[in-house]
Short mmCIF file of all heavy atoms in Angstrom, two decimals:
data_model
loop_
_atom_site.label_atom_id
_atom_site.label_comp_id
_atom_site.label_asym_id
_atom_site.label_seq_id
_atom_site.Cartn_x
_atom_site.Cartn_y
_atom_site.Cartn_z
N PHE A 113 -184.73 35.81 -51.94
CA PHE A 113 -184.04 35.69 -50.65
C PHE A 113 -183.13 34.48 -50.59
O PHE A 113 -182.07 34.53 -50.00
CB PHE A 113 -185.06 35.64 -49.50
CG PHE A 113 -186.02 36.79 -49.52
CD1 PHE A 113 -187.36 36.61 -49.81
CD2 PHE A 113 -185.56 38.08 -49.26
CE1 PHE A 113 -188.25 37.68 -49.83
CE2 PHE A 113 -186.43 39.16 -49.30
CZ PHE A 113 -187.78 38.96 -49.59
N ILE A 114 -183.57 33.36 -51.21
CA ILE A 114 -182.78 32.13 -51.02
C ILE A 114 -182.27 31.51 -52.32
O ILE A 114 -181.57 30.51 -52.27
CB ILE A 114 -183.56 31.08 -50.19
CG1 ILE A 114 -184.73 30.48 -50.98
CG2 ILE A 114 -184.05 31.68 -48.87
CD1 ILE A 114 -185.37 29.27 -50.29
N GLY A 115 -182.63 32.08 -53.46
CA GLY A 115 -182.13 31.54 -54.73
C GLY A 115 -183.12 30.58 -55.38
O GLY A 115 -184.21 30.34 -54.87
N PRO A 116 -182.74 30.02 -56.55
CA PRO A 116 -183.68 29.28 -57.38
C PRO A 116 -183.97 27.85 -56.93
O PRO A 116 -184.95 27.25 -57.39
CB PRO A 116 -182.99 29.26 -58.75
CG PRO A 116 -181.53 29.35 -58.43
CD PRO A 116 -181.43 30.20 -57.20
N ASN A 117 -183.14 27.28 -56.08
CA ASN A 117 -183.39 25.92 -55.60
C ASN A 117 -184.14 26.01 -54.28
O ASN A 117 -183.58 26.48 -53.28
CB ASN A 117 -182.07 25.16 -55.43
CG ASN A 117 -181.33 25.09 -56.75
OD1 ASN A 117 -181.90 24.73 -57.78
ND2 ASN A 117 -180.05 25.46 -56.73
N ILE A 118 -185.40 25.59 -54.29
CA ILE A 118 -186.27 25.91 -53.15
C ILE A 118 -186.90 24.66 -52.55
O ILE A 118 -187.62 23.92 -53.21
CB ILE A 118 -187.37 26.91 -53.57
CG1 ILE A 118 -186.73 28.18 -54.20
CG2 ILE A 118 -188.25 27.27 -52.38
CD1 ILE A 118 -187.74 29.21 -54.69
N MET A 119 -186.63 24.46 -51.27
CA MET A 119 -187.26 23.39 -50.50
C MET A 119 -188.29 23.99 -49.55
O MET A 119 -187.99 24.96 -48.85
CB MET A 119 -186.21 22.67 -49.63
CG MET A 119 -185.14 21.92 -50.38
SD MET A 119 -185.68 20.31 -50.94
CE MET A 119 -186.11 19.49 -49.42
N ALA A 120 -189.48 23.40 -49.52
CA ALA A 120 -190.48 23.76 -48.49
C ALA A 120 -190.18 22.86 -47.29
O ALA A 120 -190.31 21.64 -47.37
CB ALA A 120 -191.88 23.51 -49.02
N MET A 121 -189.73 23.46 -46.18
CA MET A 121 -189.26 22.67 -45.05
C MET A 121 -190.29 22.52 -43.94
O MET A 121 -190.31 21.51 -43.24
CB MET A 121 -187.99 23.31 -44.46
CG MET A 121 -186.82 23.34 -45.42
SD MET A 121 -186.36 21.70 -46.02
CE MET A 121 -185.81 20.90 -44.52
N HIS A 122 -191.10 23.56 -43.74
CA HIS A 122 -192.04 23.49 -42.62
C HIS A 122 -193.31 24.24 -42.95
O HIS A 122 -193.26 25.39 -43.40
CB HIS A 122 -191.39 24.09 -41.36
CG HIS A 122 -192.23 23.93 -40.15
ND1 HIS A 122 -192.71 25.00 -39.43
CD2 HIS A 122 -192.69 22.83 -39.53
CE1 HIS A 122 -193.44 24.54 -38.41
NE2 HIS A 122 -193.43 23.23 -38.45
N THR A 123 -194.44 23.57 -42.76
CA THR A 123 -195.71 24.14 -43.17
C THR A 123 -196.65 24.22 -41.96
O THR A 123 -196.67 23.33 -41.11
CB THR A 123 -196.36 23.23 -44.24
OG1 THR A 123 -196.46 21.90 -43.72
CG2 THR A 123 -195.51 23.20 -45.49
N MET A 124 -197.42 25.30 -41.91
CA MET A 124 -198.35 25.48 -40.79
C MET A 124 -199.59 26.22 -41.25
O MET A 124 -199.51 27.13 -42.07
CB MET A 124 -197.73 26.38 -39.70
CG MET A 124 -196.64 25.78 -38.88
SD MET A 124 -196.21 26.85 -37.48
CE MET A 124 -195.19 28.06 -38.26
N LEU A 125 -200.72 25.86 -40.68
CA LEU A 125 -201.91 26.70 -40.76
C LEU A 125 -202.27 27.01 -39.31
O LEU A 125 -202.55 26.11 -38.52
CB LEU A 125 -203.06 26.03 -41.49
CG LEU A 125 -204.19 26.99 -41.92
CD1 LEU A 125 -204.95 26.45 -43.12
CD2 LEU A 125 -205.14 27.31 -40.78
N ILE A 126 -202.18 28.27 -38.97
CA ILE A 126 -202.35 28.69 -37.58
C ILE A 126 -203.76 29.24 -37.42
O ILE A 126 -204.19 30.10 -38.18
CB ILE A 126 -201.30 29.74 -37.19
CG1 ILE A 126 -199.89 29.23 -37.52
CG2 ILE A 126 -201.40 30.09 -35.71
CD1 ILE A 126 -199.04 30.22 -38.26
N ASN A 127 -204.48 28.71 -36.45
CA ASN A 127 -205.89 29.04 -36.24
C ASN A 127 -206.01 29.57 -34.81
O ASN A 127 -206.61 28.92 -33.95
CB ASN A 127 -206.70 27.75 -36.42
CG ASN A 127 -208.19 27.97 -36.47
OD1 ASN A 127 -208.66 28.88 -37.14
ND2 ASN A 127 -208.94 27.11 -35.78
N LYS A 128 -205.40 30.72 -34.57
CA LYS A 128 -205.27 31.23 -33.20
C LYS A 128 -206.66 31.37 -32.57
O LYS A 128 -207.49 32.15 -33.04
CB LYS A 128 -204.57 32.58 -33.23
CG LYS A 128 -204.20 33.09 -31.84
CD LYS A 128 -203.82 34.56 -31.87
CE LYS A 128 -202.37 34.82 -32.20
NZ LYS A 128 -201.46 34.49 -31.10
N PRO A 129 -206.90 30.61 -31.50
CA PRO A 129 -208.25 30.59 -30.94
C PRO A 129 -208.55 31.83 -30.10
O PRO A 129 -207.63 32.50 -29.65
CB PRO A 129 -208.22 29.35 -30.04
CG PRO A 129 -206.80 29.19 -29.64
CD PRO A 129 -205.97 29.74 -30.78
N PRO A 130 -209.84 32.10 -29.89
CA PRO A 130 -210.20 33.14 -28.93
C PRO A 130 -209.53 32.80 -27.60
O PRO A 130 -209.54 31.65 -27.20
CB PRO A 130 -211.72 33.00 -28.81
CG PRO A 130 -212.15 32.28 -30.04
CD PRO A 130 -211.01 31.39 -30.42
N ASP A 131 -208.92 33.77 -26.94
CA ASP A 131 -208.20 33.44 -25.72
C ASP A 131 -209.17 32.93 -24.66
O ASP A 131 -210.23 33.50 -24.43
CB ASP A 131 -207.45 34.66 -25.20
CG ASP A 131 -206.36 34.24 -24.22
OD1 ASP A 131 -206.66 34.12 -23.01
OD2 ASP A 131 -205.23 34.00 -24.68
N ALA A 132 -208.77 31.83 -24.02
CA ALA A 132 -209.65 31.20 -23.03
C ALA A 132 -209.58 31.90 -21.68
O ALA A 132 -210.17 31.43 -20.71
CB ALA A 132 -209.28 29.72 -22.89
N GLY A 133 -208.87 33.03 -21.61
CA GLY A 133 -208.81 33.80 -20.37
C GLY A 133 -207.47 33.72 -19.66
O GLY A 133 -207.25 34.38 -18.65
N LYS A 134 -206.57 32.91 -20.20
CA LYS A 134 -205.26 32.75 -19.55
C LYS A 134 -204.10 33.25 -20.41
O LYS A 134 -202.94 32.98 -20.13
CB LYS A 134 -205.05 31.27 -19.19
CG LYS A 134 -206.10 30.76 -18.21
CD LYS A 134 -205.70 29.42 -17.62
CE LYS A 134 -206.37 29.22 -16.26
NZ LYS A 134 -206.03 27.92 -15.66
N LYS A 135 -204.42 33.94 -21.46
CA LYS A 135 -203.41 34.51 -22.37
C LYS A 135 -202.55 33.44 -23.05
O LYS A 135 -201.44 33.72 -23.50
CB LYS A 135 -202.51 35.51 -21.62
CG LYS A 135 -203.28 36.66 -20.97
CD LYS A 135 -202.31 37.66 -20.40
CE LYS A 135 -203.06 38.82 -19.74
NZ LYS A 135 -202.14 39.76 -19.11
N THR A 136 -203.07 32.21 -23.11
CA THR A 136 -202.31 31.14 -23.75
C THR A 136 -202.35 31.22 -25.27
O THR A 136 -201.63 30.49 -25.94
CB THR A 136 -202.84 29.76 -23.33
OG1 THR A 136 -204.26 29.74 -23.53
CG2 THR A 136 -202.55 29.47 -21.87
N SER A 137 -203.19 32.11 -25.80
CA SER A 137 -203.22 32.25 -27.26
C SER A 137 -202.03 33.07 -27.77
O SER A 137 -201.82 33.16 -28.97
CB SER A 137 -204.54 32.88 -27.72
OG SER A 137 -204.66 34.21 -27.25
N ARG A 138 -201.26 33.64 -26.86
CA ARG A 138 -200.09 34.41 -27.30
C ARG A 138 -198.99 33.47 -27.79
O ARG A 138 -198.86 32.34 -27.34
CB ARG A 138 -199.52 35.22 -26.13
CG ARG A 138 -200.39 36.37 -25.71
CD ARG A 138 -199.79 37.08 -24.53
NE ARG A 138 -199.65 36.19 -23.38
CZ ARG A 138 -199.09 36.55 -22.23
NH1 ARG A 138 -198.59 37.76 -22.09
NH2 ARG A 138 -199.02 35.70 -21.22
N HIS A 139 -198.19 33.98 -28.69
CA HIS A 139 -196.99 33.25 -29.10
C HIS A 139 -195.80 34.09 -28.63
O HIS A 139 -195.66 35.24 -29.05
CB HIS A 139 -196.96 33.06 -30.62
CG HIS A 139 -196.04 31.95 -31.04
ND1 HIS A 139 -196.41 30.93 -31.87
CD2 HIS A 139 -194.74 31.71 -30.71
CE1 HIS A 139 -195.39 30.10 -32.05
NE2 HIS A 139 -194.37 30.55 -31.35
N PRO A 140 -194.95 33.54 -27.75
CA PRO A 140 -193.86 34.37 -27.21
C PRO A 140 -192.87 34.79 -28.30
O PRO A 140 -192.78 34.15 -29.36
CB PRO A 140 -193.17 33.44 -26.20
CG PRO A 140 -193.55 32.07 -26.59
CD PRO A 140 -194.91 32.17 -27.23
N MET A 141 -192.14 35.86 -28.04
CA MET A 141 -191.17 36.36 -29.01
C MET A 141 -190.06 35.34 -29.21
O MET A 141 -189.47 34.85 -28.24
CB MET A 141 -190.59 37.69 -28.51
CG MET A 141 -191.65 38.78 -28.31
SD MET A 141 -192.55 39.18 -29.81
CE MET A 141 -191.49 40.40 -30.53
N HIS A 142 -189.80 35.01 -30.46
CA HIS A 142 -188.82 33.96 -30.76
C HIS A 142 -188.18 34.16 -32.12
O HIS A 142 -188.64 35.00 -32.91
CB HIS A 142 -189.52 32.58 -30.73
CG HIS A 142 -190.55 32.43 -31.81
ND1 HIS A 142 -191.81 32.98 -31.73
CD2 HIS A 142 -190.49 31.81 -33.02
CE1 HIS A 142 -192.48 32.71 -32.83
NE2 HIS A 142 -191.71 32.00 -33.64
N GLN A 143 -187.15 33.37 -32.38
CA GLN A 143 -186.52 33.32 -33.70
C GLN A 143 -186.77 31.92 -34.25
O GLN A 143 -186.45 30.93 -33.58
CB GLN A 143 -185.01 33.56 -33.57
CG GLN A 143 -184.64 34.93 -33.02
CD GLN A 143 -183.18 34.99 -32.59
OE1 GLN A 143 -182.72 34.19 -31.78
NE2 GLN A 143 -182.45 35.95 -33.14
N ASP A 144 -187.29 31.81 -35.45
CA ASP A 144 -187.64 30.49 -35.99
C ASP A 144 -186.40 29.60 -36.16
O ASP A 144 -186.50 28.37 -36.11
CB ASP A 144 -188.39 30.63 -37.32
CG ASP A 144 -189.80 31.19 -37.12
OD1 ASP A 144 -190.30 31.16 -35.98
OD2 ASP A 144 -190.39 31.65 -38.11
N LEU A 145 -185.24 30.21 -36.34
CA LEU A 145 -184.02 29.41 -36.52
C LEU A 145 -183.79 28.46 -35.35
O LEU A 145 -183.14 27.41 -35.51
CB LEU A 145 -182.79 30.31 -36.73
CG LEU A 145 -181.52 29.55 -37.16
CD1 LEU A 145 -181.64 29.07 -38.61
CD2 LEU A 145 -180.26 30.40 -36.99
N HIS A 146 -184.28 28.82 -34.18
CA HIS A 146 -184.15 27.96 -33.00
C HIS A 146 -184.58 26.52 -33.31
O HIS A 146 -184.03 25.57 -32.76
CB HIS A 146 -184.99 28.55 -31.87
CG HIS A 146 -185.03 27.75 -30.61
ND1 HIS A 146 -183.90 27.46 -29.88
CD2 HIS A 146 -186.07 27.16 -29.94
CE1 HIS A 146 -184.24 26.74 -28.81
NE2 HIS A 146 -185.55 26.54 -28.83
N TYR A 147 -185.56 26.37 -34.19
CA TYR A 147 -186.12 25.05 -34.50
C TYR A 147 -185.40 24.33 -35.64
O TYR A 147 -185.70 23.17 -35.91
CB TYR A 147 -187.61 25.19 -34.86
CG TYR A 147 -188.43 25.77 -33.74
CD1 TYR A 147 -188.59 27.16 -33.60
CD2 TYR A 147 -189.02 24.94 -32.78
CE1 TYR A 147 -189.32 27.69 -32.56
CE2 TYR A 147 -189.75 25.47 -31.73
CZ TYR A 147 -189.89 26.85 -31.62
OH TYR A 147 -190.61 27.39 -30.58
N PHE A 148 -184.52 25.03 -36.34
CA PHE A 148 -183.99 24.50 -37.59
C PHE A 148 -182.53 24.07 -37.49
O PHE A 148 -181.65 24.92 -37.26
CB PHE A 148 -184.09 25.56 -38.71
CG PHE A 148 -185.48 26.05 -38.99
CD1 PHE A 148 -185.70 27.35 -39.43
CD2 PHE A 148 -186.59 25.21 -38.83
CE1 PHE A 148 -186.98 27.82 -39.70
CE2 PHE A 148 -187.87 25.67 -39.09
CZ PHE A 148 -188.07 26.97 -39.53
N PRO A 149 -182.24 22.79 -37.74
CA PRO A 149 -180.84 22.34 -37.77
C PRO A 149 -180.26 22.41 -39.18
O PRO A 149 -179.62 21.45 -39.62
CB PRO A 149 -180.95 20.89 -37.26
CG PRO A 149 -182.25 20.43 -37.82
CD PRO A 149 -183.17 21.64 -37.88
N PHE A 150 -180.51 23.51 -39.87
CA PHE A 150 -179.87 23.66 -41.19
C PHE A 150 -179.41 25.10 -41.38
O PHE A 150 -179.91 26.02 -40.72
CB PHE A 150 -180.75 23.16 -42.34
CG PHE A 150 -182.23 23.48 -42.22
CD1 PHE A 150 -182.73 24.69 -42.72
CD2 PHE A 150 -183.11 22.58 -41.63
CE1 PHE A 150 -184.09 25.00 -42.62
CE2 PHE A 150 -184.46 22.88 -41.52
CZ PHE A 150 -184.95 24.09 -42.01
N ARG A 151 -178.48 25.26 -42.28
CA ARG A 151 -177.81 26.52 -42.55
C ARG A 151 -177.44 26.56 -44.03
O ARG A 151 -177.43 25.52 -44.66
CB ARG A 151 -176.52 26.64 -41.69
CG ARG A 151 -176.71 26.55 -40.17
CD ARG A 151 -177.42 27.78 -39.62
NE ARG A 151 -177.47 27.77 -38.15
CZ ARG A 151 -178.38 27.12 -37.41
NH1 ARG A 151 -179.36 26.45 -37.99
NH2 ARG A 151 -178.33 27.18 -36.10
N PRO A 152 -177.02 27.69 -44.59
CA PRO A 152 -176.75 28.94 -43.90
C PRO A 152 -178.04 29.71 -43.61
O PRO A 152 -179.01 29.62 -44.36
CB PRO A 152 -175.85 29.71 -44.87
CG PRO A 152 -176.21 29.20 -46.22
CD PRO A 152 -176.62 27.76 -46.03
N VAL A 153 -177.99 30.48 -42.56
CA VAL A 153 -179.18 31.16 -42.04
C VAL A 153 -179.80 32.11 -43.07
O VAL A 153 -181.02 32.24 -43.15
CB VAL A 153 -178.84 31.88 -40.72
CG1 VAL A 153 -177.71 32.89 -40.90
CG2 VAL A 153 -180.07 32.53 -40.12
N ASP A 154 -178.97 32.75 -43.89
CA ASP A 154 -179.52 33.73 -44.83
C ASP A 154 -180.20 33.10 -46.03
O ASP A 154 -180.80 33.80 -46.85
CB ASP A 154 -178.41 34.69 -45.31
CG ASP A 154 -177.85 35.51 -44.16
OD1 ASP A 154 -178.56 35.71 -43.16
OD2 ASP A 154 -176.68 35.94 -44.26
N ARG A 155 -180.10 31.78 -46.17
CA ARG A 155 -180.79 31.10 -47.27
C ARG A 155 -182.03 30.37 -46.77
O ARG A 155 -182.43 29.32 -47.28
CB ARG A 155 -179.83 30.16 -48.03
CG ARG A 155 -178.63 30.86 -48.65
CD ARG A 155 -178.97 31.73 -49.88
NE ARG A 155 -179.49 33.06 -49.60
CZ ARG A 155 -178.74 34.15 -49.39
NH1 ARG A 155 -177.44 34.10 -49.43
NH2 ARG A 155 -179.31 35.32 -49.14
N ILE A 156 -182.64 30.92 -45.73
CA ILE A 156 -183.90 30.42 -45.18
C ILE A 156 -184.86 31.62 -45.11
O ILE A 156 -184.43 32.72 -44.76
CB ILE A 156 -183.71 29.85 -43.76
CG1 ILE A 156 -182.66 28.72 -43.75
CG2 ILE A 156 -185.04 29.35 -43.17
CD1 ILE A 156 -182.25 28.27 -42.34
N VAL A 157 -186.12 31.41 -45.45
CA VAL A 157 -187.09 32.51 -45.33
C VAL A 157 -188.47 31.93 -45.03
O VAL A 157 -188.79 30.80 -45.44
CB VAL A 157 -187.11 33.40 -46.61
CG1 VAL A 157 -187.79 32.68 -47.78
CG2 VAL A 157 -187.79 34.74 -46.34
#
Side-chain angles (χ1 to χ4, degrees):
F113 305 112
I114 71 170
N117 301 311
I118 304 178
M119 295 279 300
M121 297 303 295
H122 186 241
T123 55
M124 287 189 281
L125 195 155
I126 307 132
N127 190 45
K128 189 194 274 287
D131 198 272
K134 298 194 155 179
K135 302 186 180 176
T136 51
S137 65
R138 290 178 299 177
H139 200 128
M141 300 301 273
H142 65 282
Q143 298 166 304
D144 290 343
L145 190 71
H146 177 61
Y147 299 88
F148 301 149
F150 40 88
R151 302 290 187 277
V153 58
D154 296 335
R155 299 289 81 86
I156 303 170
V157 73

